[in-house]
């Protein structure tokens, strides 16, 4: 392990009007809108500072629209950055950044392919080095809440796994440098909710522009209901989430009605407007909570 951040790195001071500060760490553009779009829109609308750090530009993503399938590599990454910008506008999020700056880490592709061996890809990044770049953001923003993936990245993608490692290590290093993030969450979907949504999908599938349905295994982060600690009702922000997902046009097709979507595999899956989380750092309440900031003290708000 390398040493903690330099002693010169100390917590900064975000504007006092941001009493609540939420940091999300994601692997590629579009992950944030699929997993947390309603949550991000809700807290942004309520006046919280919402900061998104995206680790790569998804340069190796498969492109859906035929007219855009000529885009690859750096050109695709630049296009996806424009999509991310549009998505954040839909969610009302002003603070979004690329880990280490644009082009610092590239998409690693799916697990087990040759792209995983590219020295420039996120999967090959030194976790401590990458974490230091995130520590700078943490010490500037001083979030009380961090949202990221579980150790498997939700579904085993190398960049999602690496994003989890980087976020976790950065939280450790930031604590040594002076800012302990009070509450850390992993993205989740309760199994019964997913099962019920897929049952409805089977009924609705004939009216959708997708020929087949995905399966429960295609949804990242599905766990037993008992592991869910926090439920964010994003019903009021359903349209904002769908619009943000639609902005990621190279990666996502949202069906009319905004209840279902498909990725490049053209398999329909539910679009969840209530979003679910598992608290993995911080004191758990006896009951399921409805606020990611529940339990944050006045001392932690400064």
């Amino acid at each position: 392990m390398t040493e903690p951040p330099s002693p010169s790195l100390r917590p900064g001071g975000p504007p006092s009007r941001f009493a609540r500060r939420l940091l999300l760490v994601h692997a590629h553009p579009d992950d944030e809108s699929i997993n947390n779009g309603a949550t991000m829109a809700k807290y942004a609308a309520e006046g919280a500072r919402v900061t998104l750090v995206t680790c790569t530009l998804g340069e190796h993503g498969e492109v859906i629209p035929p007219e855009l399938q000529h885009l690859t590599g750096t050109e695709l990454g630049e296009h996806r950055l424009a999509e991310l910008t549009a998505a954040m506008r839909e969610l009302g999020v002003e603070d979004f950044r690329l880990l280490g700056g644009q082009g610092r880490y590239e998409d690693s592709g799916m697990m087990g392919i040759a792209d995983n061996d590219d020295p420039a890809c996120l999967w090959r990044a030194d976790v401590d080095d990458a974490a230091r770049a995130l520590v700078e953001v943490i010490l500037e923003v001083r979030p009380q809440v961090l949202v990221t993936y579980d150790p498997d990245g939700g579904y085993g993608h190398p960049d999602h796994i690496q994003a989890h490692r980087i976020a976790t290590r950065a939280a450790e290093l930031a604590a040594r440098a002076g800012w302990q993030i009070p509450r850390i969450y992993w993205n989740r979907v309760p199994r019964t909710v997913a099962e019920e949504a897929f049952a409805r999908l089977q009924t609705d599938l004939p009216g959708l522009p997708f020929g087949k349905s995905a399966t429960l295994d295609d949804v990242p982060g599905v766990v037993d209901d008992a592991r869910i600690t926090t439920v964010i009702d994003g019903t009021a922000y359903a349209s904002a989430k769908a619009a943000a997902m639609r902005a990621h046009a190279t990666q996502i097709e949202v069906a009319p009605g905004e209840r279902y979507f498909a990725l490049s595999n053209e398999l329909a899956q539910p679009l969840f407007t209530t979003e679910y989380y598992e608290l993995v750092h911080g004191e758990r309440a006896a009951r399921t909570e409805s606020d990611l900031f529940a339990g944050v003290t006045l001392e932690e708000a400064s």
Side-chain angles (χ1 to χ4, degrees), residues 208-253:
L208 298 178
F210 315 119
K212 296 182 180 180
S213 168
T215 69
L216 209 62
D217 292 338
D218 294 310
V219 178
V222 175
V223 294
D224 291 341
D225 293 25
R227 296 185 63 171
I228 304 301
T229 60
T230 310
V231 179
I232 302 299
D233 182 357
T235 305
Y237 304 95
S239 293
K241 173 170 180 169
M245 291 175 62
R246 196 177 289 114
H248 291 288
T250 60
Q251 307 299 306
I252 303 171
E253 182 180 354

Side-chain angles (χ1 to χ4, degrees), residues 9-292:
L9 286 176
R10 288 289 181 261
S16 59
R17 73 179 186 275
F18 294 114
R20 298 183 297 170
R21 301 177 297 276
L22 167 63
L23 171 64
L24 304 99
V25 178
H26 276 288
H28 317 101
D30 81 341
D31 292 326
E32 81 297 322
S33 297
I34 295 171
N35 287 277
N36 312 114
T39 298
M40 295 171 72
K42 174 183 184 296
Y43 283 110
E46 292 175 354
R49 178 171 184 170
V50 179
T51 299
L52 169 68
V53 174
T54 305
C55 296
T56 82
L57 285 175
E59 296 89 344
H60 298 299
E62 296 182 355
V63 177
I64 296 174
E67 67 274 17
L68 296 176
Q69 288 176 357
H70 65 280
L71 297 173
T72 58
T74 300
E75 191 178 11
L76 175 58
E78 291 175 351
H79 188 90
R80 293 188 69 178
L81 177 57
E83 292 182 337
L84 177 62
T85 302
M88 293 304 95
R89 188 163 51 246
E90 297 291 352
L91 298 179
V93 173
E94 298 180 355
D95 186 9
F96 56 99
R97 317 174 186 207
L98 298 174
L99 182 67
Q102 186 170 347
R104 178 64 183 86
Y105 300 106
E106 295 183 5
D107 186 358
S108 307
M110 299 301 288
M111 187 69 82
I113 67 174
D115 291 329
N116 300 168
D117 298 323
D118 185 343
C121 77
L122 187 70
W123 184 239
R124 292 299 173 188
D126 180 274
V127 171
D128 275 41
D129 287 346
R132 287 174 184 275
L134 184 56
V135 168
E136 294 183 12
V137 179
I138 292 173
L139 296 183
E140 174 197 338
V141 174
R142 296 192 298 170
Q144 299 107 333
V145 174
L146 168 64
V147 172
T148 190
Y149 313 104
D150 66 13
D152 185 51
Y155 70 111
H157 191 293
D159 287 336
H160 288 237
I161 293 170
Q162 196 76 323
H164 160 83
R165 293 172 178 170
I166 291 166
T168 301
R169 181 60 174 155
E172 295 171 354
L173 295 179
R176 295 188 192 182
W179 185 256
Q180 174 76 57
I181 301 175
R183 300 175 78 79
I184 299 176
Y185 294 89
W186 292 342
N187 292 301
R188 293 301 194 195
V189 178
R191 190 172 304 280
T192 59
V193 169
E195 289 173 343
E196 291 168 2
F198 272 97
R200 289 193 298 271
L201 170 56
Q202 299 313 308
T203 300
D204 295 342
L205 189 59
L208 298 178
F210 315 119
K212 296 182 180 180
S213 168
T215 69
L216 209 62
D217 292 338
D218 294 310
V219 178
V222 175
V223 294
D224 291 341
D225 293 25
R227 296 185 63 171
I228 304 301
T229 60
T230 310
V231 179
I232 302 299
D233 182 357
T235 305
Y237 304 95
S239 293
K241 173 170 180 169
M245 291 175 62
R246 196 177 289 114
H248 291 288
T250 60
Q251 307 299 306
I252 303 171
E253 182 180 354
V254 178
E258 302 180 343
R259 297 183 64 189
Y260 303 103
F261 72 99
L263 302 174
S264 60
N265 58 15
E266 301 182 354
L267 299 177
Q269 57 179 292
L271 193 161
F272 296 106
T273 54
T274 296
E275 295 168 345
Y276 304 85
Y277 301 89
E278 179 181 1
L279 180 68
V280 295
H281 173 80
E283 185 175 352
R284 293 195 178 199
R287 297 181 179 179
T288 302
E289 296 177 323
S290 59
D291 181 9
L292 295 176

